[in-house]
Amino acid sequence: GMIVRRGRANRSLSLVFLPGLGSTCDGRKARLMDEIGDRHGLTRVLFDYRGHGKVPGVMHRDCTFSGMLADARAAVDVATEASSALLVGSSLGCVFACHLAQERPDDIHGLLLVAPAVEAFTGWSSSSRCSVNEDLLVLESDYASTGSYQLPLSFRHEVLSAGLPVFSQPTAVICGTADRISPVDQCVGFAEARGARLRVVDSDHRLSDAGALGVMEEELLWLIAGCDGGRVAVADCWV
């Protein structure tokens, strides 16, 4: 469930991609990160959560918040064996990236958060797209093949108990104007509260069209330049 591609020697940075719920490490954003890292000689770590892709498990039984966070932490452990890490999160993967940045401030030197679903998870209690079916949390989603994702009910309790992480690493946030999961106003507030760069593009939650991927490449290159020995202007936000 984990792919490690070693970069050229003597580079001080590795890239880790943290997918969203129901996504795997072979998506377009993961491939773009892999390609950019390869061009710059960086080690790349891509992985799938338990119950995703070819990793054993069933989402509605095995995908607890703590379990998926442990999967992401294992990838960061590999990435930081000999270097610092830059985390690239997508949707739910941004939530895990933020928690890991708080846990590992000396190992994680920057974050690229694409359609961060951080605020979305804290608002589940009032969401019309979220319901409880016996011991399952049912999340309606336009991106699930069945129209919804089913998670252990404990997932919501865990993510709410964990709260919003506090971290200070250089961060870039990308969001889409048509995103119904991570609306622009939430992303603006999230970015401003953390002094992050913000890019708003004409796209939806997937942010996988050519224009969005181009902005992702620009922000990833900005972070690589800063985390790999340069300087970054942390409070550099615009729409």
Side-chain angles (χ1 to χ4, degrees):
M2 187 182 300
I3 300 171
V4 181
R5 295 192 173 102
R6 300 292 180 185
R8 296 188 296 272
N10 301 320
R11 296 307 299 268
S12 60
L13 187 69
S14 296
L15 304 181
V16 183
F17 182 75
L18 294 80
L21 182 64
S23 299
T24 63
C25 63
D26 62 355
R28 294 185 69 182
K29 291 188 286 292
R31 293 199 299 270
L32 176 64
M33 187 207 76
D34 189 24
E35 292 167 2
I36 293 172
D38 183 44
R39 291 203 301 269
H40 288 263
L42 305 177
T43 293
R44 291 89 66 205
V45 179
L46 302 94
F47 72 98
D48 289 334
Y49 304 107
R50 60 195 65 195
H52 287 65
K54 297 180 180 180
V55 180
V58 180
M59 183 180 293
H60 70 260
R61 183 190 65 214
D62 300 305
C63 287
T64 62
F65 178 78
S66 56
M68 295 176 73
L69 178 58
D71 295 336
R73 187 180 293 114
V76 171
D77 287 342
V78 171
T80 56
E81 287 175 352
S83 67
S84 60
L86 170 60
L87 306 187
V88 181
S90 176
S91 190
L92 175 60
C94 298
V95 180
F96 299 131
C98 291
H99 279 283
L100 291 167
Q102 177 180 260
E103 289 181 14
R104 309 275 289 274
D106 295 332
D107 292 330
I108 295 171
H109 283 194
L111 299 89
L112 174 57
L113 305 177
V114 183
V118 176
E119 302 291 340
F121 285 96
T122 62
W124 275 351
S125 58
S126 59
S127 173
S128 61
R129 297 170 66 85
C130 170
S131 61
V132 175
N133 181 7
E134 296 182 350
D135 59 346
L136 296 177
L137 183 69
V138 181
L139 303 176
E140 295 181 22
S141 174
D142 300 331
Y143 308 110
S145 59
T146 60
S148 67
Y149 293 116
Q150 295 185 340
L151 293 166
L153 188 58
S154 63
F155 192 103
R156 178 177 176 273
H157 300 307
E158 285 187 287
V159 73
L160 292 178
S161 296
L164 291 176
V166 177
F167 56 93
S168 59
Q169 292 94 327
T171 302
V173 175
I174 305 174
C175 62
T177 55
D179 191 336
R180 296 194 299 160
I181 297 174
S182 305
V184 170
D185 59 339
Q186 290 184 0
C187 292
V188 169
F190 176 83
E192 288 180 345
R194 289 159 180 80
R197 286 165 61 107
L198 174 67
R199 302 290 298 273
V200 181
V201 299
D202 185 15
S203 188
D204 58 14
H205 187 68
R206 284 193 179 95
L207 287 168
S208 58
D209 55 89
L213 291 175
V215 171
M216 178 180 164
E217 180 167 7
E218 291 172 5
E219 295 308 294
L220 191 52
L221 292 175
W222 172 78
L223 283 164
I224 289 172
C227 296
D228 202 26
R231 294 182 60 83
V232 293
V234 177
D236 184 8
C237 307
W238 73 92
V239 174

Short mmCIF file of all heavy atoms in Angstrom, two decimals, residues 7-50:
data_model
loop_
_atom_site.label_atom_id
_atom_site.label_comp_id
_atom_site.label_asym_id
_atom_site.label_seq_id
_atom_site.Cartn_x
_atom_site.Cartn_y
_atom_site.Cartn_z
N GLY A 7 14.81 9.70 -4.56
CA GLY A 7 15.38 10.74 -5.42
C GLY A 7 16.88 10.67 -5.43
O GLY A 7 17.50 9.77 -4.86
N ARG A 8 17.49 11.63 -6.09
CA ARG A 8 18.94 11.68 -6.13
C ARG A 8 19.50 11.96 -4.74
O ARG A 8 18.85 12.55 -3.89
CB ARG A 8 19.40 12.78 -7.11
CG ARG A 8 18.99 12.50 -8.55
CD ARG A 8 19.63 13.52 -9.48
NE ARG A 8 19.17 14.88 -9.23
CZ ARG A 8 18.09 15.40 -9.80
NH1 ARG A 8 17.34 14.66 -10.59
NH2 ARG A 8 17.74 16.65 -9.54
N ALA A 9 20.71 11.54 -4.52
CA ALA A 9 21.32 11.69 -3.19
C ALA A 9 21.52 13.16 -2.83
O ALA A 9 21.52 14.04 -3.69
CB ALA A 9 22.67 10.96 -3.16
N ASN A 10 21.67 13.40 -1.54
CA ASN A 10 22.02 14.72 -1.00
C ASN A 10 20.92 15.75 -1.18
O ASN A 10 21.20 16.95 -1.23
CB ASN A 10 23.32 15.24 -1.64
CG ASN A 10 24.49 14.30 -1.40
OD1 ASN A 10 24.63 13.76 -0.31
ND2 ASN A 10 25.29 14.10 -2.42
N ARG A 11 19.70 15.35 -1.28
CA ARG A 11 18.59 16.30 -1.26
C ARG A 11 17.96 16.26 0.12
O ARG A 11 17.81 15.19 0.73
CB ARG A 11 17.54 15.97 -2.33
CG ARG A 11 18.06 16.08 -3.75
CD ARG A 11 18.70 17.43 -4.06
NE ARG A 11 17.80 18.56 -3.90
CZ ARG A 11 17.06 19.08 -4.88
NH1 ARG A 11 17.09 18.53 -6.08
NH2 ARG A 11 16.30 20.12 -4.67
N SER A 12 17.56 17.42 0.61
CA SER A 12 17.12 17.52 2.00
C SER A 12 15.62 17.45 2.18
O SER A 12 15.11 17.71 3.27
CB SER A 12 17.62 18.85 2.59
OG SER A 12 17.09 19.95 1.86
N LEU A 13 14.89 17.09 1.12
CA LEU A 13 13.43 17.14 1.19
C LEU A 13 12.81 15.94 0.50
O LEU A 13 13.26 15.51 -0.55
CB LEU A 13 12.93 18.43 0.53
CG LEU A 13 11.45 18.74 0.63
CD1 LEU A 13 11.09 19.09 2.07
CD2 LEU A 13 11.10 19.92 -0.28
N SER A 14 11.74 15.40 1.13
CA SER A 14 10.93 14.35 0.53
C SER A 14 9.49 14.86 0.40
O SER A 14 9.07 15.74 1.16
CB SER A 14 10.93 13.08 1.39
OG SER A 14 12.22 12.52 1.47
N LEU A 15 8.75 14.31 -0.54
CA LEU A 15 7.35 14.67 -0.74
C LEU A 15 6.47 13.50 -0.34
O LEU A 15 6.76 12.36 -0.68
CB LEU A 15 7.09 15.02 -2.21
CG LEU A 15 7.94 16.13 -2.84
CD1 LEU A 15 7.52 16.34 -4.29
CD2 LEU A 15 7.82 17.41 -2.06
N VAL A 16 5.37 13.80 0.37
CA VAL A 16 4.40 12.77 0.77
C VAL A 16 3.02 13.22 0.31
O VAL A 16 2.60 14.35 0.62
CB VAL A 16 4.38 12.55 2.29
CG1 VAL A 16 3.42 11.41 2.65
CG2 VAL A 16 5.78 12.26 2.82
N PHE A 17 2.31 12.35 -0.41
CA PHE A 17 0.95 12.67 -0.85
C PHE A 17 -0.05 11.97 0.05
O PHE A 17 0.02 10.75 0.24
CB PHE A 17 0.72 12.27 -2.30
CG PHE A 17 -0.65 12.65 -2.79
CD1 PHE A 17 -0.94 13.98 -3.08
CD2 PHE A 17 -1.65 11.70 -2.95
CE1 PHE A 17 -2.20 14.35 -3.52
CE2 PHE A 17 -2.92 12.06 -3.38
CZ PHE A 17 -3.20 13.39 -3.67
N LEU A 18 -1.01 12.74 0.59
CA LEU A 18 -2.06 12.20 1.46
C LEU A 18 -3.39 12.34 0.73
O LEU A 18 -3.95 13.44 0.61
CB LEU A 18 -2.10 12.96 2.79
CG LEU A 18 -0.88 12.83 3.71
CD1 LEU A 18 0.25 13.76 3.26
CD2 LEU A 18 -1.24 13.14 5.15
N PRO A 19 -3.94 11.23 0.22
CA PRO A 19 -5.17 11.30 -0.58
C PRO A 19 -6.39 11.64 0.27
O PRO A 19 -6.35 11.64 1.50
CB PRO A 19 -5.29 9.88 -1.16
CG PRO A 19 -4.00 9.19 -0.85
CD PRO A 19 -3.42 9.87 0.35
N GLY A 20 -7.49 11.90 -0.42
CA GLY A 20 -8.76 12.12 0.24
C GLY A 20 -9.51 10.83 0.48
O GLY A 20 -9.06 9.75 0.08
N LEU A 21 -10.66 10.93 1.11
CA LEU A 21 -11.48 9.75 1.39
C LEU A 21 -11.94 9.11 0.08
O LEU A 21 -12.44 9.79 -0.81
CB LEU A 21 -12.69 10.16 2.22
CG LEU A 21 -13.64 9.03 2.64
CD1 LEU A 21 -12.94 8.06 3.57
CD2 LEU A 21 -14.88 9.61 3.31
N GLY A 22 -11.74 7.80 -0.03
CA GLY A 22 -12.14 7.08 -1.23
C GLY A 22 -11.16 7.20 -2.37
O GLY A 22 -11.37 6.60 -3.43
N SER A 23 -10.10 7.97 -2.20
CA SER A 23 -9.10 8.15 -3.26
C SER A 23 -7.87 7.30 -2.99
O SER A 23 -7.64 6.86 -1.87
CB SER A 23 -8.69 9.62 -3.35
OG SER A 23 -9.80 10.44 -3.65
N THR A 24 -7.08 7.11 -4.03
CA THR A 24 -5.88 6.30 -3.91
C THR A 24 -4.67 7.08 -4.44
O THR A 24 -4.80 8.21 -4.92
CB THR A 24 -6.02 4.99 -4.71
OG1 THR A 24 -6.17 5.30 -6.11
CG2 THR A 24 -7.23 4.19 -4.24
N CYS A 25 -3.52 6.46 -4.34
CA CYS A 25 -2.28 7.15 -4.70
C CYS A 25 -2.00 7.13 -6.19
O CYS A 25 -0.92 7.54 -6.62
CB CYS A 25 -1.10 6.54 -3.94
SG CYS A 25 -0.76 4.81 -4.33
N ASP A 26 -2.96 6.69 -7.01
CA ASP A 26 -2.73 6.71 -8.45
C ASP A 26 -3.58 7.78 -9.15
O ASP A 26 -3.74 7.75 -10.36
CB ASP A 26 -2.99 5.34 -9.07
CG ASP A 26 -4.44 4.88 -8.89
OD1 ASP A 26 -5.21 5.59 -8.21
OD2 ASP A 26 -4.79 3.80 -9.42
N GLY A 27 -4.11 8.74 -8.40
CA GLY A 27 -4.89 9.82 -8.98
C GLY A 27 -4.02 10.87 -9.66
O GLY A 27 -2.79 10.85 -9.58
N ARG A 28 -4.67 11.84 -10.30
CA ARG A 28 -3.93 12.83 -11.10
C ARG A 28 -3.06 13.73 -10.21
O ARG A 28 -1.94 14.07 -10.59
CB ARG A 28 -4.91 13.68 -11.91
CG ARG A 28 -5.67 12.90 -12.99
CD ARG A 28 -6.53 13.80 -13.83
NE ARG A 28 -5.73 14.69 -14.67
CZ ARG A 28 -6.25 15.62 -15.47
NH1 ARG A 28 -7.56 15.77 -15.52
NH2 ARG A 28 -5.47 16.37 -16.20
N LYS A 29 -3.56 14.12 -9.05
CA LYS A 29 -2.76 14.99 -8.18
C LYS A 29 -1.54 14.25 -7.66
O LYS A 29 -0.45 14.81 -7.56
CB LYS A 29 -3.64 15.51 -7.04
CG LYS A 29 -4.70 16.50 -7.49
CD LYS A 29 -5.43 17.15 -6.32
CE LYS A 29 -6.40 16.23 -5.63
NZ LYS A 29 -7.56 15.89 -6.47
N ALA A 30 -1.73 12.97 -7.30
CA ALA A 30 -0.59 12.17 -6.83
C ALA A 30 0.45 12.01 -7.94
O ALA A 30 1.66 12.12 -7.70
CB ALA A 30 -1.07 10.81 -6.35
N ARG A 31 -0.01 11.78 -9.16
CA ARG A 31 0.92 11.61 -10.27
C ARG A 31 1.68 12.90 -10.56
O ARG A 31 2.87 12.88 -10.87
CB ARG A 31 0.18 11.13 -11.52
CG ARG A 31 -0.38 9.71 -11.40
CD ARG A 31 -0.68 9.12 -12.76
NE ARG A 31 -1.65 9.90 -13.50
CZ ARG A 31 -2.97 9.71 -13.45
NH1 ARG A 31 -3.46 8.76 -12.65
NH2 ARG A 31 -3.80 10.44 -14.16
N LEU A 32 0.98 14.04 -10.44
CA LEU A 32 1.65 15.32 -10.66
C LEU A 32 2.75 15.54 -9.63
O LEU A 32 3.86 15.94 -9.96
CB LEU A 32 0.64 16.46 -10.60
CG LEU A 32 1.24 17.88 -10.73
CD1 LEU A 32 1.88 18.07 -12.10
CD2 LEU A 32 0.16 18.94 -10.48
N MET A 33 2.43 15.29 -8.35
CA MET A 33 3.45 15.43 -7.31
C MET A 33 4.63 14.52 -7.57
O MET A 33 5.79 14.91 -7.40
CB MET A 33 2.84 15.12 -5.94
CG MET A 33 3.79 15.41 -4.77
SD MET A 33 3.47 14.40 -3.31
CE MET A 33 4.18 12.81 -3.81
N ASP A 34 4.35 13.30 -7.99
CA ASP A 34 5.40 12.34 -8.28
C ASP A 34 6.30 12.85 -9.41
O ASP A 34 7.53 12.78 -9.34
CB ASP A 34 4.76 11.00 -8.66
CG ASP A 34 5.77 9.86 -8.77
OD1 ASP A 34 6.84 9.96 -8.14
OD2 ASP A 34 5.46 8.87 -9.46
N GLU A 35 5.68 13.40 -10.46
CA GLU A 35 6.45 13.91 -11.60
C GLU A 35 7.32 15.10 -11.21
O GLU A 35 8.50 15.18 -11.59
CB GLU A 35 5.49 14.31 -12.72
CG GLU A 35 4.76 13.13 -13.36
CD GLU A 35 3.61 13.57 -14.24
OE1 GLU A 35 3.41 14.80 -14.38
OE2 GLU A 35 2.89 12.69 -14.77
N ILE A 36 6.76 16.03 -10.42
CA ILE A 36 7.52 17.20 -10.01
C ILE A 36 8.69 16.78 -9.12
O ILE A 36 9.82 17.25 -9.27
CB ILE A 36 6.60 18.20 -9.28
CG1 ILE A 36 5.57 18.77 -10.25
CG2 ILE A 36 7.43 19.34 -8.66
CD1 ILE A 36 4.51 19.61 -9.59
N GLY A 37 8.41 15.88 -8.18
CA GLY A 37 9.48 15.40 -7.31
C GLY A 37 10.58 14.72 -8.07
O GLY A 37 11.77 14.89 -7.77
N ASP A 38 10.21 13.97 -9.10
CA ASP A 38 11.21 13.28 -9.92
C ASP A 38 12.10 14.29 -10.65
O ASP A 38 13.32 14.14 -10.70
CB ASP A 38 10.50 12.36 -10.91
CG ASP A 38 11.47 11.55 -11.74
OD1 ASP A 38 12.43 11.01 -11.17
OD2 ASP A 38 11.28 11.45 -12.97
N ARG A 39 11.49 15.35 -11.18
CA ARG A 39 12.26 16.37 -11.89
C ARG A 39 13.25 17.07 -10.98
O ARG A 39 14.31 17.49 -11.42
CB ARG A 39 11.32 17.40 -12.52
CG ARG A 39 10.48 16.88 -13.67
CD ARG A 39 10.04 18.01 -14.58
NE ARG A 39 9.25 19.02 -13.89
CZ ARG A 39 7.93 19.00 -13.80
NH1 ARG A 39 7.24 18.00 -14.32
NH2 ARG A 39 7.29 19.98 -13.19
N HIS A 40 12.90 17.17 -9.71
CA HIS A 40 13.77 17.88 -8.77
C HIS A 40 14.63 16.93 -7.93
O HIS A 40 15.31 17.35 -7.01
CB HIS A 40 12.92 18.76 -7.85
CG HIS A 40 12.37 19.96 -8.54
ND1 HIS A 40 12.96 21.20 -8.48
CD2 HIS A 40 11.28 20.09 -9.36
CE1 HIS A 40 12.25 22.06 -9.21
NE2 HIS A 40 11.23 21.41 -9.75
N GLY A 41 14.60 15.65 -8.28
CA GLY A 41 15.45 14.69 -7.59
C GLY A 41 15.05 14.40 -6.16
O GLY A 41 15.89 14.02 -5.34
N LEU A 42 13.76 14.55 -5.84
CA LEU A 42 13.29 14.36 -4.47
C LEU A 42 12.69 12.97 -4.30
O LEU A 42 12.09 12.41 -5.22
CB LEU A 42 12.23 15.41 -4.12
CG LEU A 42 12.63 16.87 -4.31
CD1 LEU A 42 11.45 17.77 -4.00
CD2 LEU A 42 13.82 17.22 -3.45
N THR A 43 12.81 12.42 -3.12
CA THR A 43 12.13 11.17 -2.78
C THR A 43 10.64 11.44 -2.65
O THR A 43 10.22 12.44 -2.09
CB THR A 43 12.68 10.60 -1.46
OG1 THR A 43 14.04 10.21 -1.65
CG2 THR A 43 11.87 9.40 -0.99
N ARG A 44 9.84 10.53 -3.21
CA ARG A 44 8.38 10.66 -3.13
C ARG A 44 7.80 9.44 -2.43
O ARG A 44 8.21 8.30 -2.70
CB ARG A 44 7.75 10.76 -4.52
CG ARG A 44 8.06 12.07 -5.23
CD ARG A 44 9.32 11.98 -6.04
NE ARG A 44 9.19 11.06 -7.16
CZ ARG A 44 10.20 10.43 -7.73
NH1 ARG A 44 11.43 10.59 -7.29
NH2 ARG A 44 10.00 9.62 -8.75
N VAL A 45 6.86 9.68 -1.54
CA VAL A 45 6.17 8.60 -0.83
C VAL A 45 4.68 8.73 -1.10
O VAL A 45 4.07 9.76 -0.78
CB VAL A 45 6.44 8.65 0.69
CG1 VAL A 45 5.69 7.52 1.39
CG2 VAL A 45 7.94 8.57 0.97
N LEU A 46 4.12 7.72 -1.72
CA LEU A 46 2.69 7.66 -2.00
C LEU A 46 2.12 6.43 -1.32
O LEU A 46 2.78 5.38 -1.27
CB LEU A 46 2.41 7.61 -3.50
CG LEU A 46 2.97 8.77 -4.34
CD1 LEU A 46 4.33 8.41 -4.91
CD2 LEU A 46 2.01 9.12 -5.47
N PHE A 47 0.91 6.52 -0.80
CA PHE A 47 0.34 5.39 -0.06
C PHE A 47 -1.18 5.40 -0.17
O PHE A 47 -1.79 6.42 -0.53
CB PHE A 47 0.75 5.48 1.42
CG PHE A 47 0.04 6.57 2.18
CD1 PHE A 47 -1.07 6.29 2.96
CD2 PHE A 47 0.48 7.89 2.09
CE1 PHE A 47 -1.74 7.30 3.64
CE2 PHE A 47 -0.17 8.90 2.77
CZ PHE A 47 -1.28 8.61 3.55
N ASP A 48 -1.76 4.26 0.14
CA ASP A 48 -3.21 4.14 0.25
C ASP A 48 -3.58 3.85 1.70
O ASP A 48 -2.85 3.13 2.40
CB ASP A 48 -3.75 3.01 -0.63
CG ASP A 48 -3.69 3.35 -2.11
OD1 ASP A 48 -3.71 4.55 -2.44
OD2 ASP A 48 -3.61 2.41 -2.93
N TYR A 49 -4.70 4.41 2.15
CA TYR A 49 -5.19 4.10 3.49
C TYR A 49 -5.73 2.67 3.55
O TYR A 49 -6.05 2.06 2.52
CB TYR A 49 -6.32 5.05 3.88
CG TYR A 49 -5.97 6.51 3.80
CD1 TYR A 49 -6.50 7.31 2.77
CD2 TYR A 49 -5.14 7.10 4.73
CE1 TYR A 49 -6.20 8.66 2.69
CE2 TYR A 49 -4.84 8.46 4.66
CZ TYR A 49 -5.37 9.23 3.64
OH TYR A 49 -5.06 10.57 3.55
N ARG A 50 -5.87 2.16 4.73
CA ARG A 50 -6.54 0.87 4.92
C ARG A 50 -7.94 0.92 4.30
O ARG A 50 -8.63 1.94 4.35
CB ARG A 50 -6.64 0.55 6.41
CG ARG A 50 -7.42 1.57 7.21
CD ARG A 50 -7.18 1.41 8.68
NE ARG A 50 -5.78 1.71 9.01
CZ ARG A 50 -5.20 1.37 10.17
NH1 ARG A 50 -5.91 0.75 11.11
NH2 ARG A 50 -3.94 1.68 10.40
#
